[in-house]
Amino acid sequence: PDQIDGYDYMAHYDQPIEPECCVGLNGYTTLSYEHDIPSQTETLWQGGNNPWNSQTVRIEGEFRVAAGSNLRIQGMEMQFGEDGAIIVDPSAKLVIDNTHLTSIDCGQRWEGIYVGGVSNARQSLNQSAFGQVRLKNGSIVSNADGALNNFVYTPNGVDWNHIGGIIRAEETTFLNNRR
């Protein structure tokens, strides 16, 4: 415990996910979803005001925020299957506001959040070209293999043309993530 606060964080690193994290959870709301509504105005999802009219959404695969889209998810819980991931394309914006992102299956992790960028562009000059994710107001990211990644991952590996996504996290808890 060589941490300033004296806590031994390594004793809790990569521990198995406790079964009580997902008691009674089975089945998926959807296999995958693409939010592809290009808009300068932010689309707001809350419990009861989203495509599934539910506070809790279970996604087996990919949840993609497509280029040009601007989405805020507020006060919800999104649960992902083992192959589940959030993909934020270049020029898309996603705000996670007081929302819990986690796995659906006990003992398994979900992939995490991938934020695409433009590898040959400077962020300081052209932020709108980059995918952007902001987590805030008590949001939680838990049980992910890679909680936040500023690149896009494909079945063939990292897409080197879409690296450098912009990530901001304030008042957010990262719990039991592998990295």
Side-chain angles (χ1 to χ4, degrees):
D2 59 349
Q3 301 295 317
I4 292 173
D5 61 5
Y7 190 79
D8 185 3
Y9 290 95
M10 291 308 291
H12 300 282
Y13 177 75
D14 206 23
Q15 296 296 311
I17 298 170
E18 298 298 325
E20 60 269 10
C21 76
C22 20
V23 172
L25 304 178
N26 56 17
Y28 296 102
T29 306
T30 186
L31 298 179
S32 62
Y33 180 81
E34 181 170 350
H35 181 77
D36 60 354
I37 303 170
S39 176
Q40 295 298 321
T41 306
E42 183 177 80
T43 301
L44 174 63
W45 285 3
Q46 296 174 310
N49 182 23
N50 58 65
W52 305 279
N53 294 317
S54 177
Q55 187 81 25
T56 301
V57 176
R58 299 178 181 131
I59 299 173
E60 180 179 20
E62 182 179 287
F63 179 90
R64 180 176 294 272
V65 183
S69 297
N70 187 349
L71 176 63
R72 175 187 301 261
I73 300 172
Q74 184 177 49
M76 293 180 61
E77 181 166 323
M78 297 185 75
Q79 302 167 352
F80 294 88
E82 186 175 14
D83 296 324
I86 295 175
I87 311 291
V88 180
D89 286 338
S91 80
K93 292 181 183 177
L94 174 63
V95 176
I96 303 297
D97 185 352
N98 189 30
T99 293
H100 188 181
L101 307 175
T102 191
S103 62
I104 187 173
D105 293 324
C106 297
Q108 291 183 336
R109 298 186 187 279
W110 64 292
E111 292 293 321
I113 303 172
Y114 294 89
V115 189
V118 181
S119 59
N120 61 355
R122 292 177 55 187
Q123 287 181 342
S124 61
L125 298 177
N126 191 11
Q127 285 193 356
S128 64
F130 291 83
Q132 298 180 43
V133 168
R134 183 175 180 202
L135 299 105
K136 63 182 198 167
N137 294 334
S139 290
I140 301 170
V141 179
S142 64
N143 304 327
D145 192 40
L148 289 170
N149 306 279
N150 67 343
F151 57 86
V152 173
Y153 190 79
T154 70
N156 298 323
V158 174
D159 178 352
W160 294 105
N161 293 317
H162 294 102
I163 61 173
I166 299 171
I167 300 168
R168 291 180 288 192
E170 309 153 4
E171 299 175 13
T172 299
T173 300
F174 295 91
L175 181 66
N176 200 30
N177 299 296
R178 184 158 291 154
R179 58 181 184 277

